[in-house]
Coordinates of all heavy atoms in Angstrom, one line a residue:
E25 N 4.7 7.1 2.0 CA 4.8 5.9 3.0 C 4.4 4.7 2.2 O 3.4 4.7 1.5 CB 3.9 6.1 4.3 CG 4.1 4.9 5.1 CD 3.3 4.9 6.3 OE1 2.3 5.7 6.3 OE2 3.7 4.4 7.3
T26 N 5.3 3.7 2.2 CA 4.9 2.4 1.6 C 4.8 1.4 2.7 O 5.6 1.4 3.7 CB 5.9 1.9 0.6 OG1 7.1 1.7 1.3 CG2 6.0 3.0 -0.5
V27 N 4.0 0.4 2.7 CA 3.7 -0.6 3.7 C 3.5 -1.9 2.9 O 2.6 -2.0 2.0 CB 2.4 -0.2 4.6 CG1 2.4 -1.4 5.6 CG2 2.6 1.0 5.3
V28 N 4.2 -2.9 3.4 CA 4.2 -4.2 2.7 C 3.9 -5.3 3.9 O 4.6 -5.3 4.9 CB 5.5 -4.6 2.1 CG1 5.5 -6.0 1.4 CG2 5.9 -3.5 0.9
V30 N 4.1 -8.5 6.0 CA 5.0 -9.5 6.1 C 4.5 -10.9 6.7 O 4.8 -11.9 6.0 CB 6.2 -9.1 7.1 CG1 7.2 -10.2 7.4 CG2 6.8 -7.8 6.7
V44 N 2.1 -8.3 11.0 CA 3.3 -7.5 10.9 C 3.6 -7.0 9.5 O 3.3 -7.7 8.5 CB 4.6 -8.5 11.5 CG1 5.9 -7.7 11.4 CG2 4.4 -9.0 12.8
A45 N 3.9 -5.7 9.5 CA 4.2 -5.0 8.2 C 5.5 -4.3 8.2 O 5.9 -3.8 9.3 CB 3.1 -4.2 7.8
A46 N 6.1 -4.2 7.1 CA 7.3 -3.3 7.0 C 6.9 -2.1 6.3 O 6.2 -2.0 5.3 CB 8.4 -4.0 6.2
A47 N 7.3 -0.9 6.9 CA 7.0 0.4 6.3 C 8.2 1.2 6.0 O 9.2 1.1 6.7 CB 6.1 1.1 7.2
R48 N 8.1 2.0 5.0 CA 9.2 2.9 4.7 C 8.6 4.4 4.5 O 7.4 4.5 3.8 CB 10.0 2.5 3.5 CG 10.8 1.4 3.7 CD 11.7 1.1 2.5 NE 12.6 0.0 2.9 CZ 12.6 -1.2 2.4 NH1 11.8 -1.4 1.4 NH2 13.4 -2.0 2.9
K49 N 9.2 5.5 5.0 CA 8.7 6.9 4.8 C 9.8 7.7 4.4 O 11.0 7.6 4.7 CB 8.0 7.4 6.0 CG 6.9 6.7 6.5 CD 6.4 7.2 7.9 CE 5.4 6.4 8.6 NZ 5.1 6.7 9.9
I50 N 9.4 8.8 3.6 CA 10.3 9.8 3.4 C 9.4 11.1 3.3 O 8.3 11.1 2.7 CB 11.1 9.7 2.0 CG1 12.1 10.9 1.9 CG2 10.3 9.6 0.7 CD1 13.2 10.8 0.8
E80 N 13.9 10.6 6.6 CA 13.8 9.2 6.1 C 13.7 8.2 7.1 O 14.4 8.3 8.0 CB 15.1 8.9 5.1 CG 15.3 9.8 3.9 CD 16.5 9.6 3.2 OE1 16.9 8.3 3.1 OE2 17.1 10.4 2.7
L81 N 12.7 7.2 7.0 CA 12.5 6.2 7.8 C 12.6 5.0 7.0 O 11.8 4.5 6.4 CB 11.2 6.2 8.6 CG 10.9 7.5 9.7 CD1 9.5 7.5 10.0 CD2 11.9 7.4 10.7
P82 N 13.9 4.6 6.7 CA 14.1 3.5 5.8 C 13.6 2.1 6.2 O 13.1 1.3 5.3 CB 15.6 3.3 5.7 CG 16.2 3.9 7.0 CD 15.3 4.9 7.3
Q83 N 13.3 1.9 7.4 CA 12.7 0.6 7.9 C 12.0 0.9 9.2 O 12.5 1.2 10.2 CB 13.8 -0.5 8.1 CG 13.2 -1.7 8.5 CD 12.3 -2.5 7.3 OE1 12.8 -2.5 6.1 NE2 11.3 -2.9 7.7
Q84 N 10.7 0.5 9.1 CA 9.9 0.6 10.2 C 9.0 -0.6 10.3 O 8.5 -1.0 9.3 CB 9.0 2.0 10.4 CG 8.0 2.1 11.4 CD 7.2 3.3 11.2 OE1 6.9 3.8 10.1 NE2 6.8 3.9 12.5
T85 N 8.9 -1.3 11.6 CA 8.1 -2.4 11.7 C 6.8 -2.1 12.4 O 6.9 -1.5 13.4 CB 8.9 -3.6 12.3 OG1 10.1 -3.8 11.7 CG2 8.1 -4.9 12.5
L86 N 5.8 -2.5 11.9 CA 4.5 -2.2 12.5 C 3.8 -3.5 12.9 O 3.8 -4.6 12.2 CB 3.4 -1.5 11.5 CG 4.0 -0.3 10.9 CD1 3.0 0.1 9.8 CD2 4.1 0.8 11.8
Q87 N 3.5 -3.6 14.2 CA 2.9 -4.8 14.7 C 1.5 -4.5 15.2 O 1.3 -3.6 16.0 CB 3.7 -5.4 15.9 CG 5.2 -5.9 15.5 CD 5.8 -6.4 16.8 OE1 5.8 -5.7 17.8 NE2 6.7 -7.3 16.4
M97 N -1.5 -1.4 18.4 CA -0.4 -1.3 17.4 C 1.0 -0.8 18.1 O 0.9 0.0 18.9 CB -0.7 -0.3 16.4 CG 0.2 -0.3 15.3 SD -0.4 0.5 13.7 CE 0.2 2.1 14.0
R98 N 2.1 -1.4 17.7 CA 3.4 -1.0 18.1 C 4.3 -0.8 16.8 O 4.1 -1.5 15.9 CB 4.0 -2.3 19.0 CG 5.2 -1.8 19.7 CD 5.6 -2.9 20.6 NE 7.0 -3.2 20.2 CZ 7.6 -4.3 20.4 NH1 6.8 -5.3 21.1 NH2 8.7 -4.6 19.9
S99 N 5.1 0.1 17.0 CA 5.9 0.6 15.9 C 7.4 0.6 16.5 O 7.6 1.1 17.4 CB 5.6 1.9 15.4 OG 6.5 2.4 14.5
T100 N 8.3 0.1 15.6 CA 9.7 0.2 15.9 C 10.4 0.6 14.6 O 10.1 0.3 13.5 CB 10.2 -1.2 16.4 OG1 10.0 -2.1 15.4 CG2 9.5 -1.7 17.7
H101 N 11.5 1.2 14.9 CA 12.4 1.8 13.8 C 13.6 0.9 13.7 O 14.2 0.5 14.6 CB 12.8 3.2 14.0 CG 11.5 4.2 14.1 ND1 10.9 4.6 13.0 CD2 10.9 4.6 15.1 CE1 9.8 5.3 13.3 NE2 9.9 5.3 14.6

Side-chain angles (χ1 to χ4, degrees):
E25 177 179 26
T26 62
V27 178
V28 178
V30 177
V44 176
R48 294 189 169 117
K49 295 178 189 168
I50 185 166
E80 298 178 33
L81 297 172
Q83 182 66 42
Q84 183 180 25
T85 302
L86 305 172
Q87 296 177 324
M97 188 166 91
R98 192 174 120 203
S99 170
T100 57
H101 300 279

